[in-house]
Amino acid sequence: ELRAIGDPEPAAEQQARADPGDHGLTAQQHQIALLVAEGATNREVAAHMFISPRTVEHHLRGIFRKLNLRSRVDLARMFR
C-alpha cells in the first residue's frame, strides 16, 4: 500500500530490487513518468491510475526535481 501512494521502500529492500534505470523514482512516479513520456496528458494518466489530475501534477513536480528536468519533452527523451 505504501508503494501505491508513492512512499519509497526501506533502503534495504530498495537496494535489493534496484533497477538500474529507475533513476531513484518511486514505483508510482516511475509509472507516471513512463505514461507521460509516451505522450499521455495529466488527465489521461489520472484516469489510467485511478488518481486525481492534481496528484499526477504533484508527482510530476517530484519527478522533474529528482531527474533535474524542465519539460515533458526532456522526460520523453530520457525514457526512450
Side-chain angles (χ1 to χ4, degrees), residues 1-10 13 17 25-32 45-46 48-52 55-56 58-59:
E1 287 183 13
L2 290 174
R3 277 183 284 165
I5 61 170
D7 281 354
E9 296 178 65
E13 288 180 33
R17 295 188 210 183
L25 301 176
T26 65
Q28 192 168 28
Q29 286 175 331
H30 191 259
Q31 185 176 9
I32 290 169
V45 173
H48 178 80
M49 296 182 66
F50 303 105
I51 57 177
S52 76
T55 302
V56 174
H58 170 78
H59 284 298

